[in-house]
């Protein structure tokens, strides 16, 4: 799988926001890393990176990231390694042995749900719950149609639905400015597509997806409360998958899911929905920090722990 957060399109988007992006590669490894700021100072962050074919390649990527951090006067490197040669369960030994330590929290999901698009799309449908298949095949009888768009102006459809969902569920979505910037950067480049469900020509649900060379990532979705009983979000997601299959992509990444033994996890509410489309779980080692300026990093961790105690 190619991770969207490690693609040239994502690098271009980050640069459009005025951020400094580093892209490097070598035999069996590559990474995209972004310069960020946090209370410790400058941070070099590689989301779902570095990507490496082996532990030896990972070590080379790690050395390259440290060199960038030193040149940039960054306090530490933050990463989510995607590396052949060790399982997520072995992260503490493999990464800890290389001087890394777990970040205060995971930046990206540590568990994700993948639907593979191998074989005929009928096989993909067969892996779903019958309710999902039936809605996809029959919702047109209720006057619902689906279309895709790469017009950045249409991101406003999704933004309106996200505001409704946020008001109903009491969560804070990403800002309109951020998602509008995503649309302006990625949609004309073909790296992002908006899928829209319509009832008699009026939008009732929308979902934004990002594409890498072989994977479509289901990133943001919301629907109109007025038509919740139609469950248009289900056939909309199946339509997104069918379109990915038509484009020759190999996987759809439905993003974060909750561990089975954590009913209060922040992803718990979405997990049953995502798993109803068939697929498999993929585990990552989580977010890890490699201190470069150890004194500054130690002070940052100490201050963070004191703030937590005071709360």
């Amino acid at each position: 799988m190619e991770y969207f957060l490690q693609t040239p399109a994502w690098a271009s988007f980050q640069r459009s926001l005025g951020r400094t992006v580093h892209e490097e590669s070598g035999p069996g490894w590559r990474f995209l890393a972004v310069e960020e700021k946090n209370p410790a100072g400058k941070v070099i962050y590689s989301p779902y990176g570095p990507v490496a074919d082996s532990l030896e390649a990972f070590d080379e990527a790690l050395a390259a990231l440290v060199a960038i951090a030193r040149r940039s006067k960054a306090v530490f490197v933050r990463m989510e390694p995607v590396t052949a040669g060790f399982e997520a369960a072995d992260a503490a030994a493999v990464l800890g042995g290389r001087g890394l330590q777990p970040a205060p929290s995971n930046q990206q999901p540590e568990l994700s749900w993948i639907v593979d698009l191998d074989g005929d799309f009928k096989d993909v449908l067969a892996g779903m719950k019958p309710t999902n298949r039936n809605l996809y095949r029959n919702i047109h009888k209720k006057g619902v149609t689906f279309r895709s768009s790469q017009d950045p102006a249409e991101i406003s459809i999704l933004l309106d639905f996200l505001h409704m969902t946020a008001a109903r569920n009491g969560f804070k979505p990403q800002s309109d400015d951020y998602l509008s910037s995503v649309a302006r950067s990625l949609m004309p480049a073909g790296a992002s597509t908006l899928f829209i469900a319509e009832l008699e020509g009026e939008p009732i649900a929308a979902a934004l997806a990002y594409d890498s060379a072989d994977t479509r990532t289901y990133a943001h979705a919301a629907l109109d409360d007025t038509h919740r009983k139609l469950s248009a979000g289900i056939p909309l997601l199946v339509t997104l998958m069918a379109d990915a299959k038509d484009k020759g992509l190999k996987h759809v990444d439905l993003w974060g899911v909750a561990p089975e033994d954590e009913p209060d996890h922040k992803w718990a509410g979405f997990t049953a929905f995502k798993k109803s489309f068939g697929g498999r779980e993929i585990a990552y080692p989580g977010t890890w920090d490699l201190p470069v300026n150890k004194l500054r990093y130690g002070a940052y961790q100490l201050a963070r722990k004191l703030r937590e105690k005071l709360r």
Side-chain angles (χ1 to χ4, degrees):
M1 278 176 53
E2 181 180 68
Y3 297 87
F4 186 75
L5 298 179
Q6 286 290 317
T7 61
W10 192 250
S12 296
F13 166 58
Q14 293 295 316
R15 291 187 178 108
S16 77
L17 298 178
R19 294 172 178 163
T20 301
V21 180
H22 302 274
E23 295 174 275
E24 290 194 17
S25 61
W29 63 270
R30 60 186 170 81
F31 63 74
L32 175 163
V34 183
E35 291 189 12
E36 296 186 346
K37 289 184 178 177
N38 87 346
K42 187 182 289 184
V43 179
I44 304 297
Y45 173 47
S46 184
Y48 283 144
V51 179
D53 294 345
S54 66
L55 283 175
E56 291 78 11
F58 172 68
D59 287 336
E60 291 184 23
L62 205 58
L65 281 164
V66 169
I68 289 169
R70 286 185 173 140
R71 286 198 304 271
S72 307
K73 295 183 170 55
V75 177
F76 63 97
V77 179
R78 177 161 283 173
M79 67 189 80
E80 286 134 357
V82 179
T83 303
F86 75 94
E87 300 294 326
D90 302 325
V94 174
L95 300 177
R98 286 163 168 78
L100 286 90
Q101 47 191 286
S105 61
N106 287 320
Q107 302 287 101
Q108 308 301 334
E110 66 273 25
L111 293 175
S112 202
W113 195 257
I114 309 297
V115 177
D116 297 310
L117 302 176
D118 301 333
D120 193 274
F121 195 66
K122 286 186 291 187
D123 300 325
V124 179
L125 288 170
M128 299 180 188
K129 283 193 171 180
T131 304
N132 294 16
R133 286 198 301 274
N134 293 335
L135 272 168
Y136 174 65
R137 289 168 174 158
N138 298 312
I139 198 168
H140 66 279
K141 296 174 184 176
K142 297 181 179 179
V144 178
T145 57
F146 302 91
R147 66 182 178 89
S148 62
S149 172
Q150 287 177 324
D151 176 1
E154 293 207 285
I155 196 68
S156 61
I157 296 169
L158 176 62
L159 296 179
D160 288 344
F161 294 151
L162 284 170
H163 294 159
M164 288 182 197
T165 305
R168 182 178 71 245
N169 296 338
F171 80 94
K172 186 177 180 182
Q174 285 180 305
S175 73
D176 288 7
D177 285 347
Y178 177 82
L179 288 175
S180 296
S181 296
V182 166
R184 286 193 299 271
S185 177
L186 300 179
M187 290 173 77
S192 182
T193 306
L194 184 69
F195 291 86
I196 303 159
E198 295 180 328
L199 177 63
E200 297 172 354
E202 288 298 316
I204 60 170
L208 186 67
Y210 302 148
D211 287 353
S212 69
D214 64 1
T215 301
R216 171 163 289 170
T217 300
Y218 175 68
H220 309 276
L223 50 80
D224 185 341
D225 285 352
T226 313
H227 302 287
R228 285 178 65 81
K229 289 183 179 179
L230 286 170
S231 300
I234 290 173
L236 180 66
L237 179 48
V238 182
T239 300
L240 178 154
M241 292 178 178
D243 182 79
K245 173 72 175 173
D246 289 344
K247 286 183 165 54
L249 300 177
K250 301 296 183 187
H251 318 278
V252 174
D253 186 347
L254 297 185
W255 211 236
V257 292
E260 288 188 5
D261 58 351
E262 293 186 33
D264 297 325
H265 191 278
K266 65 180 179 180
W267 296 104
F270 305 106
T271 297
F273 171 76
K274 292 177 181 181
K275 290 185 176 182
S276 72
F277 293 88
R280 59 188 171 90
E281 186 177 272
I282 185 168
Y284 302 104
T287 308
W288 290 72
D289 293 345
L290 181 63
V292 177
N293 183 329
K294 293 182 180 178
L295 194 63
R296 286 274 297 278
Y297 184 81
Y300 153 68
Q301 288 285 53
L302 183 61
R304 183 184 62 77
K305 287 171 183 173
L306 284 171
R307 280 197 304 274
E308 287 180 357
K309 279 185 179 178
L310 290 172
R311 284 178 195 156

